[in-house]
Amino acid sequence: MAPADAESPRYRVAVRALCEFTARSGDLDLRFTPAPTAQQGIAGHQVVASRRGEHYEHEVTLEGRYGALIVRGRADGYDPVRQRLEEVKTRRGDIDAMPDNQRALHWAQAKVYAALMCRERELEAIEVALVYFDIEQQRETVLVETMDRHTLEAFFIAQCERFIDWAEQELAHETARAQALGQLAFPHADFRPGQRALAESVFKAISTRRDLMLQAPTGIGKTLGTLFPALKAMPGQQLDRLFFLTARTTGRRLALEALTTLGMANSCEEAGEPGVRTLELIARDKACEHPELACHGDSCPLASGFYDRLPGARQAAVQQGFLDHDSLRSVALAHRVCPYYLGQEMAHWCDVVIGDVNYWFDTSAMLYALTRQHQWRVSVLIDEAHNLVERGRAMYGAEFDQNRFAAARREAPAALKRVLDRLWRQWKALLREHDGDYICLDAPPRKLFNALSQFVTSVGDLMVETPIALESALLEAWFDAMQIVRIAELAGECDASHYLFDIERRGRSATLSLRNVVPAPLLAARFEGAHAAILFSATLSPGHYYRDQLGLGSSTPWLEMASPFTAGQLEVHLAGHISTRYRDRRASLAPIAELMAHQFHQRPGNYLAFFSSFDYLEQVSEALAEHAPDVPQWSQARRMSEPERDAFLARFTPKGQGIGFAVLGGIFGEGIDLPGERLIGAFVATLGLAQFNPVNEQMKTRMEALFGDGYRYAYLYPGITRVVQAAGRVIRSPEDQGVIHLIDDRFRRGEIQALLPRWWTLPPGARHNVDIR
Ligand code: SF4
C-alpha cells in the first residue's frame, strides 16, 4: 500500500485496539476471566517496574505511521541495557491454561511495541518479553524471544494492512456522519411548548462543555428534545460518541423511536454507508441465545469460532447502521456469532449508543472504559436522572448473603473446601463478635474480605480447568464475592462516612451489606470523563439534593422547563383529614375507600391508586370491596412476571373502568404511559417516605452529618419524588384531563407543597402547618 501524503486524513489507533482487531482468532472464551481488578493491575505493574534497575523505563510512549494510520501506545517497560521491551500482563491462575488465541493477542501487542521501539531507537534487534505477573504469588513468568527489526517491521505492516481498509472506511464514515448531522433537521413542523427551550439549553451546554440538570415535565418531548440538539452539537464540538443512558427499558424504546423519527433507522442500503450508526445495548441475560450454556467454544456454538466470523458480522453490522436489539440479533445469527458479544464489539464502532446507566457508571462500565481507552470525546444524556441516586447506591454496593454462600459451600468441589471453610470461619467469627438483629459495624470486616478475596482467586483458578455451570450456586456466590471485593476496595478510597457496613439477622440467617450512602464522589468521577453530561427528569427537585447526591458541582446549572400542561387539565384534591401514618392506618381505611368510591361514581373511568406497602394496599382494597363492591379493581402482586405486568396494564383500555392498586415507587409508579382515557385519575395515599427501620435511620444519621438535613435527605425528598412520578401518570398530553387525590394531612404543609409541580393548582385553603413526621 502506498504511504498517504501529508494532506491525507489520518486515522489514529491504539496499539491495543489495532491488535484486538487484527490478531484475534478462534473461539470466544470467557473461562479465563478471573482477571485482577484495575487496582490490582496497577499495583502489579508497579511491582514489576520496581524489580527492574534504575535505568528501566516504564510507560514508554511510542508512535508509528503506516499510510493513513497513526499507531500509538505506551509500552509497559523497556530495559535499554538489555534492549528488552516488556509487555506486562497481571493475571491469576495457571498460564498454561490460557487459551492460545489470548496468548497470541498478547504477543501481537508486544511485537507491535517492539517494532515501534526499533523504529524510534534505530535498533537492529530487540528482546521481546511477555511478562505474566501472578498477583497472588507475586511471581513472574517471562517468555522471551529475540527478534530483528525486519521481522518486527514486517509484522507491524501486516497488522496495519489488515486494518487499513477498515480505517479508511472509518475515515469516510466520519465525513459522512459530519455531513449527515450538519443536514439534520428537526423532524416536526414545530417544537412542542417548552421543547425548543429545552433543546437550546442542551445545545448550549454541550457547546460550552458544561454539565446540565434539567427538570422537564412529561409531555414536553424530552427524548427528542435532548437527542436532537446533542446530535447537532456533535460536529461542532468534534464529539466522537453520544451515549443515551436510561434506567428503564421504556427509556431505551423511546430513544430508539426518537432516532427513528430523526431518520436514523432508514435503510442505508441505497445510500451506502449510513451517516450515523446507532446501537442498542441490552443485558446479557436478555441477549443470550443459549442461557443453559457457558460462554466458550466448547459449550456454545455462537462462541465457537466467534473471532473468525466476527469480521464479517462487524462489516454487516456497520452497513446495517441502526442496530436495535432485533437488527443486531439478525446480523449476529446470520453470521453465527453471539448477539451479546457482537453488541459489545459494535460499541467500539457506533456513534450513538443507547443502554442502561450501568454502562457508564458501574464499577466495570464498558462505555466509560472504551471512552478512556480510545480517548473519545463523548456527550452523555441521562434520562430519568432522579433514578441515578438509587441506582448509584446499588452499583456501588454489595451484599454477603449467608444462605447463598452456604448453598455454594454445599455444592462446591473438594478443591474449594479449604478456602470455603476459612471463609465460613471468618463469617461465623464476625457474627460472634456482633450480637443483635441489626449491627452497624465501626470498621470494615477486613478478615472476611481477605477470605472472600481468596475464594475469588480459588474459584477463578478452578474455572480455568473446569467450567462451572452458569446457574450454579457456586457461580452466584463467586459473582457476589467479586462484587464485595471490588466494593470493599472502592469504599476504602472514599470518605468513611460514604459507606455503611452492617449486619442484619433474620432468623438463623444473616446478611452483611456494604452500603453506599452517597454515590456523589463515584458518580462525579464518571461525569468528569464526559465532555458534557445532560441529566433530565420530570422530578429533579430540589436541585441542591440532587446535586449533593449525584456529585454535580454547585456551578452546574439547574433549569426547570415550563410545563406544556395547564392547571385546567388537572384537578388536584387534598384529603387533609386523613393520616396515612403507620399508627393511623386502621382509621384511614374507611375514609380512603369512601373517597375512592365517591370519585369513581362521580366520574367512572380508569384510576391508579398508590400505597406505601402491599399490606396497606390489600387493606384498602378489602375496604373498598366492602364499601363499594360495584367498583372494579385489580392489584399489583408482590412478584409479577412480565406477562402479569402486561395484564395489569392491559386493563387500562380507553373504554375501561376500574381502579388498579399499586405500590408507590414500584413498577407502576413511573415509566408507564397511559394517555387519554386510559387513565383519568390517581389516588396517592402516602407521602412516599421510606420505611422507618434501622438502615434508613442510619442513612438519616449519615445525611445529617454530611448535609445537615438528615430527615429530608433520607426520607422526604426521595418520597416526594415518588409521589410526583406516580401522579405524573395522569396527564400525558395537552389533550388529557384528569384528577389527583393526595391523601394525607402532611400534604397540607407549605414545605411539601413547594416540592410539587408548579403547574398543579391546589385547592384554596389547602396549606396548614402539620407535623411533618
Ligand atoms: S449465546 Fe449466550 S452462552 Fe453463547 S456466547 Fe452468547 S452469551 Fe454466552
Side-chain angles (χ1 to χ4, degrees):
M1 196 211 118
D5 63 53
E7 303 302 314
S8 308
R10 303 277 179 178
Y11 188 87
R12 292 176 185 278
V13 61
V15 171
R16 180 174 156 188
L18 174 73
C19 295
E20 282 177 353
F21 192 96
T22 60
R24 286 192 302 189
S25 61
D27 296 353
L28 180 84
D29 191 337
L30 294 180
R31 276 175 297 188
F32 197 77
T33 49
T37 63
Q39 268 187 339
Q40 288 168 330
I42 293 165
H45 277 76
Q46 283 168 350
V47 172
V48 173
S50 71
R51 289 175 178 175
R52 307 299 189 253
E54 272 186 9
H55 57 280
Y56 188 75
E57 301 170 32
H58 55 96
E59 301 270 309
V60 187
T61 300
L62 295 166
E63 182 177 302
R65 294 182 175 214
Y66 180 78
L69 285 183
I70 300 176
V71 181
R72 287 197 80 186
R74 269 191 297 200
D76 289 324
Y78 180 63
D79 182 338
V81 177
R82 298 170 81 168
Q83 285 191 197
R84 175 189 280 190
L85 181 126
E86 294 191 325
E87 175 67 12
V88 180
K89 300 289 177 195
T90 51
R91 49 165 290 278
R92 287 184 160 125
D94 180 4
I95 62 161
D96 291 337
M98 185 188 299
D100 290 345
N101 59 356
Q102 191 155 13
R103 181 85 54 84
L105 176 63
H106 296 163
W107 270 119
Q109 288 172 12
K111 286 184 196 173
V112 169
Y113 282 126
L116 297 177
M117 184 62 89
C118 284
R119 274 189 182 189
E120 193 173 295
R121 310 242 174 145
E122 297 182 351
L123 307 174
E124 286 308 314
I126 192 169
E127 280 185 17
V128 187
L130 258 185
V131 180
Y132 287 108
F133 180 73
D134 187 324
I135 52 153
E136 297 302 329
Q137 314 292 332
Q138 300 279 295
R139 212 173 45 215
E140 295 175 32
T141 305
V142 185
L143 312 177
V144 193
E145 273 190 51
T146 301
M147 297 187 187
D148 64 65
R149 68 179 299 170
H150 302 293
T151 308
L152 288 167
E153 183 67 14
F155 183 84
F156 174 65
I157 290 172
Q159 305 313 304
C160 292
E161 280 289 336
R162 264 182 235 166
F163 187 68
I164 200 92
D165 287 350
W166 182 270
E168 283 170 356
Q169 178 179 284
E170 288 303 288
L171 284 171
H173 171 68
E174 277 170 25
T175 308
R177 186 183 75 182
Q179 207 176 357
L181 292 176
Q183 291 166 356
L184 188 69
F186 193 68
H188 302 302
D190 209 350
F191 289 86
R192 289 190 200 174
Q195 197 180 30
R196 181 187 290 278
L198 173 88
E200 284 172 357
S201 309
V202 172
F203 186 82
K204 193 169 155 206
I206 297 176
S207 300
T208 53
R209 205 181 170 174
R210 300 187 77 166
D211 296 337
L212 174 65
M213 299 170 77
L214 278 168
Q215 178 162 283
T218 311
I220 203 169
K222 285 194 283 288
T223 311
L224 187 62
T226 51
L227 270 168
F228 172 67
L231 286 164
K232 288 299 284 179
M234 279 180 86
Q237 292 301 304
Q238 297 181 324
L239 296 179
D240 300 294
R241 298 291 186 268
L242 173 63
F243 299 145
F244 186 98
L245 307 172
T246 172
R248 291 178 183 270
T249 313
T250 42
R252 281 207 319 265
R253 189 175 41 73
L254 289 173
L256 289 165
E257 281 170 15
L259 289 169
T260 305
T261 309
L262 284 164
M264 306 285 167
N266 294 346
S267 169
C268 306
E269 273 162 32
E270 300 136 44
E273 166 70 3
V276 178
R277 300 175 190 155
T278 299
L279 172 69
E280 179 189 18
L281 287 172
I282 65 169
R284 187 165 73 171
D285 59 346
K286 297 251 163 44
C288 178
E289 292 289 318
H290 297 290
E292 71 290 359
L293 303 179
C295 302
H296 60 84
D298 297 340
S299 174
C300 177
L302 300 179
S304 173
F306 177 89
Y307 291 115
D308 302 331
R309 292 191 295 279
L310 180 60
R314 184 167 48 208
Q315 186 61 43
V318 293
Q319 273 161 357
Q320 168 68 28
F322 190 80
L323 298 167
D324 61 1
H325 170 48
D326 289 341
S327 316
L328 184 75
R329 180 173 182 265
S330 303
V331 173
L333 297 186
H335 290 263
R336 288 180 293 121
V337 295
C338 166
Y340 175 73
Y341 288 105
L342 179 62
Q344 305 269 298
E345 171 67 22
M346 295 318 298
H348 292 74
W349 311 111
C350 287
D351 310 299
V352 180
V353 182
I354 297 161
D356 190 275
V357 288
N358 67 13
Y359 285 107
W360 184 258
F361 291 103
D362 87 2
T363 49
S364 52
M366 179 184 66
L367 293 176
Y368 178 70
L370 285 177
T371 299
R372 289 188 55 149
Q373 184 189 331
H374 296 286
Q375 298 182 349
W376 287 334
R377 285 158 75 94
V378 305
S379 282
V380 181
L381 302 180
I382 301 157
D383 179 32
E384 302 291 358
H386 62 280
N387 285 308
L388 199 51
V389 180
E390 275 311 313
R391 286 295 304 273
R393 286 189 185 128
M395 285 186 277
Y396 305 135
E399 231 179 52
F400 177 95
D401 179 336
Q402 176 176 326
N403 289 336
R404 282 164 79 97
F405 280 84
R409 201 165 165 235
R410 279 194 296 275
E411 74 170 40
L416 293 175
K417 184 172 180 338
R418 257 187 55 204
V419 74
L420 272 166
D421 284 351
R422 179 173 168 233
L423 173 58
W424 203 247
R425 278 198 304 279
Q426 292 300 342
W427 172 240
K428 290 291 169 187
L430 185 69
L431 291 183
R432 272 196 305 278
E433 273 170 45
H434 299 94
D435 208 10
D437 289 343
Y438 178 81
I439 310 106
C440 183
L441 305 177
D442 296 333
R446 292 274 165 232
K447 287 183 183 167
L448 180 73
F449 291 165
N450 290 341
L452 280 161
S453 178
Q454 189 59 51
F455 169 68
V456 168
T457 306
S458 302
V459 177
D461 289 351
L462 183 77
M463 281 174 75
V464 172
E465 284 141 27
T466 322
I468 296 173
L470 264 185
E471 270 153 32
S472 70
L474 181 58
L475 201 66
E476 281 179 7
W478 187 56
F479 288 142
D480 286 358
M482 281 198 289
Q483 177 72 352
I484 294 168
V485 170
R486 236 187 331 247
I487 296 303
E489 268 179 16
L490 210 55
E493 292 165 18
C494 294
D495 183 320
S497 58
H498 286 179
Y499 268 88
L500 197 63
F501 300 92
D502 62 25
I503 298 173
E504 286 175 286
R505 280 191 171 86
R506 262 173 252 106
R508 292 164 64 83
S509 185
T511 302
L512 166 77
S513 299
L514 291 72
R515 292 182 206 276
N516 177 267
V517 177
V518 182
L522 300 166
L523 296 172
R526 299 302 166 95
F527 290 130
E528 270 170 31
H531 174 88
I534 312 295
L535 295 92
F536 53 99
S537 165
T539 48
L540 274 184
S541 286
H544 65 84
Y545 166 75
Y546 282 101
R547 269 199 197 98
D548 289 343
Q549 297 298 310
L550 298 177
L552 292 151
S554 54
S555 60
T556 306
W558 184 96
L559 298 179
E560 182 173 10
M561 297 295 129
S563 172
F565 309 138
T566 58
Q569 288 183 256
L570 184 71
E571 279 175 43
V572 183
H573 296 279
L574 206 158
H577 60 293
I578 300 173
S579 161
T580 64
R581 292 172 186 80
Y582 189 74
R583 61 174 185 261
D584 301 324
R585 292 252 168 105
R586 187 137 296 282
S588 74
L589 302 180
I592 294 176
E594 280 164 25
L595 185 153
M596 290 169 83
H598 180 73
Q599 173 64 44
F600 182 85
H601 289 137
Q602 209 178 40
R603 189 180 167 198
N606 292 318
Y607 293 84
L608 268 167
F610 294 98
F611 301 88
S612 53
S613 69
F614 282 102
D615 285 344
Y616 200 12
L617 175 159
E618 282 157 15
Q619 287 167 18
V620 178
S621 165
E622 279 168 27
L624 179 65
E626 202 169 302
H627 176 75
D630 60 311
V631 178
Q633 53 163 294
W634 57 98
S635 293
Q636 177 183 351
R638 280 170 208 265
R639 266 172 222 88
M640 280 177 121
S641 62
E642 257 182 72
E644 286 168 336
R645 291 179 195 191
D646 293 345
F648 180 97
L649 292 174
R651 295 192 63 164
F652 292 88
T653 57
K655 302 246 174 282
Q657 289 187 3
I659 302 177
F661 282 63
V663 167
L664 196 78
I667 47 175
F668 302 117
E670 62 173 282
I672 58 162
D673 200 16
L674 299 168
E677 295 296 305
R678 291 187 66 194
L679 184 73
I680 60 164
F683 307 91
V684 184
T686 167
L687 220 58
L689 306 182
Q691 200 190 10
F692 178 82
N693 62 30
V695 176
N696 288 330
E697 284 297 283
Q698 279 293 336
M699 296 291 259
K700 185 179 90 172
T701 306
R702 294 290 176 93
M703 296 293 182
E704 184 67 38
L706 285 162
F707 306 109
D709 204 355
Y711 176 76
R712 288 179 182 80
Y713 272 54
Y715 289 100
L716 185 63
Y717 295 151
I720 297 298
T721 295
R722 290 182 203 112
V723 168
V724 176
Q725 278 290 336
R729 302 306 98 205
V730 178
I731 302 296
R732 311 298 292 173
S733 77
E735 291 74 45
D736 284 3
Q737 292 282 332
V739 58
I740 294 171
H741 288 269
L742 300 172
I743 305 171
D744 193 284
D745 60 340
R746 289 164 290 181
F747 282 116
R748 293 155 78 194
R749 281 189 71 90
E751 178 192 3
I752 288 177
Q753 292 179 10
L755 296 169
L756 301 176
R758 279 195 233 173
W759 67 276
W760 291 9
T761 303
L762 290 159
R767 187 171 289 202
H768 291 275
N769 259 346
V770 180
D771 182 8
I772 200 168
R773 319 229 166 167

